[in-house]
Amino acid sequence: IIISTISNTITNETLRARFLDGLVPENILGEQNGKSQFQAVDDNPTNEFLVGLNYMHSGLHKAAVKYFRKAAEQGNAEAQHYLGREYYYGTGVTNDVNEAMKWFSKAADQGLSTAQFKLGIIHNNSLSGIPIDYAKAVKWFRMAAEQGLADAQLALGFHYANGYGVPKDWAE
């Protein structure tokens, strides 16, 4: 069954919320060889993202990447973030932190707090092979924190408490 059919009766925001909450409408899903199969019929980036999300949650990361990429290239910030995650973790594609940063940056520039936070994490440690840059980490943590992302608020507070990338400031 096709996602577009449903989006006529359920708003994209409601549909997105149901997918993200794991409450996937029955009539979107199909079953083939014991694996969930999804299909989008148009080039609507929201639909493409949702299809990718379902493939990802089904463990079919290569298929997820295909749909995330289609939506990401059309400017969907969430798809850009999830495509970045696939590259960062090496699921569905070969691990490539620079490619991950490219997609995280596109999403972060659109104001997506989770992508901003991820860029902060990358600049905050050397595990990814990117040199540590606390000032850049603080920049991204602050952007995400100002949008209310609790993990970013905690990270930003930690940096102020310890003077990483900013002067020590317990009040801040």
Side-chain angles (χ1 to χ4, degrees):
I1 309 272
I2 301 170
I3 285 182
S4 295
T5 328
I6 295 174
S7 49
N8 292 333
T9 57
I10 301 174
T11 67
N12 279 339
E13 193 58 35
T14 302
L15 184 61
R16 179 184 165 280
R18 287 184 182 173
F19 272 80
L20 294 176
D21 290 340
L23 304 173
V24 182
E26 293 281 329
N27 53 347
I28 291 181
L29 304 177
E31 194 78 8
Q32 184 177 5
N33 298 327
K35 293 281 186 186
S36 296
Q37 303 296 311
F38 314 98
Q39 182 181 17
V41 294
D42 56 24
D43 286 327
N44 178 309
T46 300
N47 290 349
E48 301 291 354
F49 166 68
L50 292 173
V51 169
L53 198 59
N54 276 290
Y55 274 121
M56 185 193 78
H57 286 300
S58 296
L60 302 169
H61 290 274
K62 286 184 181 186
V65 166
K66 173 185 170 185
Y67 286 96
F68 288 155
R69 184 177 312 284
K70 287 173 79 172
E73 288 172 350
Q74 294 177 66
N76 183 290
E78 289 179 291
Q80 292 166 341
H81 173 245
Y82 274 88
L83 184 58
R85 285 174 46 119
E86 295 290 316
Y87 277 104
Y88 186 78
Y89 294 111
T91 52
V93 290
T94 302
N95 174 267
D96 184 338
V97 176
N98 290 314
E99 188 70 9
M101 286 182 68
K102 170 186 138 182
W103 291 108
F104 287 144
S105 293
K106 287 178 183 275
D109 289 344
Q110 292 189 64
L112 191 66
S113 62
T114 50
Q116 293 165 342
F117 179 69
K118 196 63 176 174
L119 285 169
I121 293 293
I122 290 170
H123 288 294
N124 194 57
N125 66 58
S126 61
L127 297 176
S128 61
I130 303 298
I132 292 174
D133 186 334
Y134 291 130
K136 283 184 182 177
V138 166
K139 168 194 163 189
W140 291 114
F141 287 148
R142 181 182 317 285
M143 292 173 85
E146 287 173 353
Q147 294 184 65
L149 189 67
D151 288 339
Q153 293 167 343
L154 179 64
L156 187 58
F158 177 83
H159 281 69
Y160 272 105
N162 293 287
Y164 295 145
V166 291
K168 262 189 187 183
D169 184 346
W170 280 95
E172 189 64 31

